[in-house]
Amino acid sequence: MASNRFPIMEIFGPTIQGEGMVIGQKTMFVRTAGCDYSCSWCDSAFTWDGTGKQDIRMLMASEIFQELSRIGGESFSHVTLSGGNPALLPQLNELIDLLHENGIAVALETQGSLWRDWFLQIDELTLSPKPPSSGMQTDWDILDELVSRLSDHNRCFCLKVVVFDDADIRFAEEVHRRYPEVSMFLQAGNNDIMETDSTVLLKRLMKCYEWLVQSVMASTVLRSVRVLPQLHTWLWGNKRGV
Amino acid sequence: MASNRFPIMEIFGPTIQGEGMVIGQKTMFVRTAGCDYSCSWCDSAFTWDGTGKQDIRMLMASEIFQELSRIGGESFSHVTLSGGNPALLPQLNELIDLLHENGIAVALETQGSLWRDWFLQIDELTLSPKPPSSGMQTDWDILDELVSRLSDHNRCFCLKVVVFDDADIRFAEEVHRRYPEVSMFLQAGNNDIMETDSTVLLKRLMKCYEWLVQSVMASTVLRSVRVLPQLHTWLWGNKRGV
């Protein structure tokens, strides 16, 4: 019976997915609380560092769907599960099933630190191993397992690496060499998640993106990859809930 | 024998694809001359209005590939065929075959005004019927035929509509209603292709994109679509060859 409760931090939309494999997609967002990582530059640290604790609600799948319907009305048919790391929730399939029953496609992003059988039900799955600048370590055995299971099942998934510096580019090259058949996205990092002046921020973000584009263009390892910014931060700065 | 010559306007890269279904993709561009349309806002009018006539070279597939290799070196494995309308060239499969033989994926954009059997060889095909603001008329019978042939062959393709105003959004809704199963992209139009001040242009383009995002978010017809800008114009303005 679908009666588990999930720690939910935010439900919002419809808006666009600002990054990654379905960039531009009209979608609703469900953000779960809790993460097994603590990336130095995390732009959603409030989901795991305690500062957003008071916003966490323990909701059942049916309650999440009700809220999505209430705020999204008839205008959406796509939901993005984000975090934190939603893969921490073993029964999240209850929500995914309910969304699918209602004709809604489901995207999810996770760092790839653990496997869930319900990954096979996700319509667009992003595995985002974290580069050196994050301070995190990738467990390659686990990532190998995830990639091979998803590939074996012909799932629609990609790898995404957020890049801040040259060491991160080397890491992205390592990922791409290891999984050459998997669609690969490089994303320019947001190196100032505290900046409130959106014009100042935009200039900085565009510079970072141009640097990343130039670096990738010069690489003979990163031959067929996609390089993207975070469109939502270009548009709306570091604001939450958009 | 592959000895046909094609009217080529530009060969450049590697750079990113700034728009559409493979936005962000590292790619080389081959731009063909000639178009059966004359959209009022065309950002590549030099391919068909006579102003770029002196730049047209009649090249064989092997010569095009040589030039791609010379300027792109070992850094690419993706080529985008753009125009003008490359679909005007019945023997373009000679180039596509040669690229594939060399392990290079091929993307193409065309308005969908005529069919070519070689469409079935394109790795990422974009059909971009033109909205009212263009001044062009869509032949729906032909577009129906293209969509059904590509669908029957399970090809990777999408529909893209460039949007400037409300009438264009209605047109996009019509397209989406007619082909609900096909991936659908809406792209904010560049309403000033003469602006040379890139800061002024960026502000204007971002405003247009935000307007489009808001319009689509409110639509109950455009439920699962993707809304994108032209990233290259945000970065580099109206400059050619980037």
Side-chain angles (χ1 to χ4, degrees):
Chain A
M1 207 185 114
S3 59
N4 284 287
R5 290 182 178 274
F6 307 101
I8 302 300
M9 186 61 100
E10 291 181 312
I11 297 176
F12 62 94
T15 184
I16 53 155
Q17 167 57 273
E19 59 186 63
M21 73 190 290
V22 289
I23 188 169
Q25 174 72 45
K26 182 180 182 178
T27 190
M28 303 290 292
F29 279 89
V30 175
R31 189 184 298 283
T32 62
C35 197
D36 46 333
Y37 275 24
S38 54
C39 297
S40 62
W41 37 252
C42 180
D43 59 3
S44 307
F46 58 91
T47 61
W48 53 263
D49 68 2
T51 57
K53 216 174 154 187
Q54 71 287 352
D55 296 333
I56 300 172
R57 291 177 296 157
M58 298 303 298
L59 300 179
M60 288 188 293
S62 58
E63 293 170 320
I64 298 169
F65 182 58
Q66 271 165 30
E67 189 157 325
L68 286 167
S69 302
R70 186 175 58 74
I71 61 176
E74 293 295 311
S75 71
F76 74 99
S77 58
H78 189 277
V79 167
T80 302
L81 305 177
S82 187
N85 183 7
L88 289 180
L89 306 170
Q91 270 91 26
L92 203 57
N93 55 298
E94 292 180 3
L95 175 59
I96 299 159
D97 289 344
L98 183 59
L99 293 170
H100 281 164
E101 283 162 21
N102 286 277
I104 297 166
V106 183
L108 178 129
E109 178 166 339
T110 178
Q111 53 262 52
S113 55
L114 73 168
W115 171 259
R116 295 291 175 200
D117 285 338
W118 53 256
F119 283 178
L120 299 175
Q121 294 163 248
I122 298 291
D123 300 289
E124 295 133 355
L125 179 64
T126 300
L127 300 177
S128 54
K130 304 304 176 189
S133 64
S134 69
M136 299 296 111
Q137 290 283 341
T138 296
D139 184 323
W140 295 100
D141 291 338
I142 293 178
L143 194 58
D144 285 354
E145 188 200 332
L146 266 65
V147 168
S148 85
R149 284 200 196 190
L150 292 165
S151 301
D152 290 349
H153 286 83
N154 289 314
R155 299 305 302 167
C156 175
F157 77 107
C158 78
L159 287 156
K160 187 179 82 173
V161 175
V162 179
V163 173
F164 285 82
D165 54 31
D166 284 322
D168 290 353
I169 290 188
R170 299 292 89 76
F171 176 84
E173 291 182 339
E174 191 181 343
V175 171
H176 190 46
R177 271 203 203 93
R178 196 170 182 110
Y179 313 110
E181 303 307 326
V182 182
S183 296
M184 174 85 182
F185 289 76
L186 281 85
Q187 178 174 305
N190 176 357
N191 58 9
D192 195 350
I193 53 176
M194 303 306 287
E195 181 58 62
T196 52
D197 183 327
S198 60
T199 311
V200 171
L201 183 66
L202 176 63
K203 267 195 191 151
R204 205 173 292 156
L205 294 174
M206 289 184 75
K207 224 173 198 170
C208 292
Y209 179 57
E210 277 203 78
W211 168 80
L212 180 59
V213 167
Q214 280 163 13
S215 303
V216 172
M217 293 311 117
S219 170
T220 54
V221 177
L222 302 168
R223 284 156 56 97
S224 193
V225 298
R226 290 172 66 180
V227 190
L228 288 172
Q230 290 182 302
L231 270 185
H232 54 289
T233 53
W234 286 23
L235 286 178
W236 302 306
N238 286 318
K239 232 163 66 183
R240 263 176 66 180
V242 283
Chain B
M1 207 185 113
S3 58
N4 285 286
R5 289 181 178 273
F6 307 101
I8 302 300
M9 185 62 99
E10 289 180 313
I11 297 176
F12 63 94
T15 185
I16 53 156
Q17 167 56 272
E19 59 186 61
M21 72 189 292
V22 290
I23 188 170
Q25 173 72 46
K26 181 179 182 180
T27 190
M28 303 290 292
F29 279 89
V30 175
R31 190 185 296 285
T32 62
C35 196
D36 45 335
Y37 276 22
S38 54
C39 298
S40 63
W41 37 251
C42 180
D43 60 3
S44 307
F46 57 90
T47 61
W48 52 264
D49 68 2
T51 57
K53 215 174 155 188
Q54 71 286 352
D55 296 331
I56 300 172
R57 291 176 296 157
M58 297 303 298
L59 300 180
M60 289 188 294
S62 58
E63 294 169 321
I64 297 169
F65 181 59
Q66 271 165 30
E67 189 157 325
L68 286 167
S69 302
R70 186 176 56 76
I71 61 175
E74 293 295 311
S75 71
F76 74 98
S77 58
H78 189 278
V79 167
T80 303
L81 305 177
S82 186
N85 183 7
L88 290 180
L89 307 170
Q91 269 91 26
L92 204 57
N93 56 298
E94 292 180 3
L95 176 59
I96 299 160
D97 289 343
L98 183 59
L99 293 171
H100 281 165
E101 283 160 24
N102 286 276
I104 296 166
V106 183
L108 178 129
E109 178 167 339
T110 178
Q111 52 262 53
S113 55
L114 73 167
W115 170 259
R116 295 290 175 201
D117 286 337
W118 53 256
F119 283 178
L120 298 175
Q121 294 163 248
I122 298 292
D123 300 289
E124 296 133 354
L125 179 63
T126 300
L127 300 178
S128 54
K130 304 303 174 188
S133 63
S134 69
M136 299 296 111
Q137 291 282 341
T138 296
D139 185 323
W140 295 100
D141 291 338
I142 293 178
L143 194 59
D144 286 353
E145 188 200 331
L146 266 63
V147 167
S148 86
R149 283 199 195 193
L150 292 164
S151 302
D152 289 350
H153 286 83
N154 289 314
R155 299 305 301 167
C156 175
F157 77 107
C158 77
L159 288 156
K160 186 179 83 173
V161 175
V162 179
V163 173
F164 286 82
D165 55 30
D166 284 321
D168 290 354
I169 289 189
R170 299 292 90 75
F171 176 84
E173 291 182 339
E174 191 181 343
V175 171
H176 190 46
R177 270 203 204 93
R178 195 169 182 111
Y179 314 110
E181 304 306 327
V182 182
S183 296
M184 173 86 181
F185 289 76
L186 282 84
Q187 177 175 304
N190 176 356
N191 58 10
D192 195 351
I193 53 174
M194 303 307 287
E195 181 59 62
T196 52
D197 183 327
S198 59
T199 312
V200 171
L201 182 66
L202 176 63
K203 267 194 192 150
R204 205 173 292 155
L205 293 175
M206 289 184 76
K207 223 173 200 170
C208 291
Y209 180 57
E210 277 204 78
W211 167 80
L212 180 59
V213 167
Q214 281 164 12
S215 304
V216 172
M217 293 311 118
S219 169
T220 54
V221 177
L222 301 168
R223 285 157 55 98
S224 192
V225 298
R226 290 173 66 180
V227 190
L228 288 172
Q230 291 183 302
L231 269 185
H232 54 290
T233 54
W234 285 23
L235 285 179
W236 301 309
N238 288 317
K239 232 160 70 181
R240 262 176 66 180
V242 283

